[in-house]
Amino acid sequence: MTVVVALQALAAAFFLADLAGDLAGEGTDSHLIVEGIAAVALLISVVFGANQIRHLIAASRADEAAVAVARGALGELVQLRFSQWQLTPAEADVALFALKGCDVAEIATLRGAAAGTVRAQLARIYAKAGVTSHTALLALFVDELIDTSLLQAAGPEGENDA
């Protein structure tokens, strides 16, 4: 998009220089007025395009910062919960793989352990976390990261459909 705005700026400069040359040599006529309006419109679009790019870059940087904060917050939350649940280092590894979406076979392969060992570790993790399944374990973390004030502001479903 920056290239497009740069090309527009180059074209606007060319048309404005051509217009200035024509005005100096021929005087004003309807053709030059239309050409002048087009050149000015192109120049205005260059300014708006450059401003849009500036806003997009700023928004992109803000989004990247927000993702970094969220990633850090999730990492801290995971470590805090694992510590509160008093997971062993092996259980913490298994729980982290489970949170990343790995199934028992994948976790066993990644850890070089038997599938039965991983199942037993997951059972202990679920018991320590107070849940009964992989989905419920993940839901614990998702629930803590969701801003429920947004849901409360919207009210019950259908309430705002008046």
Side-chain angles (χ1 to χ4, degrees):
M1 187 158 181
T2 305
V3 173
V4 172
V5 172
L7 289 174
Q8 286 177 335
L10 184 64
F14 171 79
F15 288 129
L16 289 172
D18 181 56
L19 177 64
D22 289 348
L23 284 174
E26 300 172 17
T28 306
D29 67 1
S30 62
H31 168 75
L32 291 179
I33 292 172
V34 171
E35 189 176 325
I37 290 171
V40 169
L42 184 56
L43 185 61
I44 290 170
S45 72
V46 167
V47 171
F48 281 120
N51 193 34
Q52 182 67 22
I53 288 172
R54 187 175 56 82
H55 286 294
L56 288 172
I57 290 170
S60 174
R61 287 182 181 149
D63 289 347
E64 287 172 2
V67 168
V69 167
R71 184 178 293 132
L74 180 58
E76 289 175 12
L77 178 61
V78 166
Q79 292 304 317
L80 176 66
R81 292 295 172 252
F82 288 2
S83 175
Q84 288 175 338
W85 299 335
Q86 298 177 348
L87 299 184
T88 67
E91 290 170 342
D93 284 348
V94 169
L96 191 56
F97 284 130
L99 290 174
K100 289 182 177 187
C102 297
D103 62 20
V104 171
E106 292 170 322
I107 296 170
T109 300
L110 290 168
R111 299 209 67 243
T117 301
V118 172
R119 279 192 207 86
Q121 289 170 322
L122 282 171
R124 287 193 303 273
I125 293 164
Y126 297 158
K128 291 178 179 182
V131 298
T132 58
S133 69
H134 187 152
T135 305
L137 179 67
L138 184 58
L140 284 176
F141 293 97
V142 172
D143 284 345
E144 288 194 47
L145 294 175
I146 292 176
D147 183 3
T148 56
S149 66
L150 297 174
L151 297 173
Q152 293 168 352
E157 200 172 318
E159 189 173 288
N160 295 333
D161 293 342

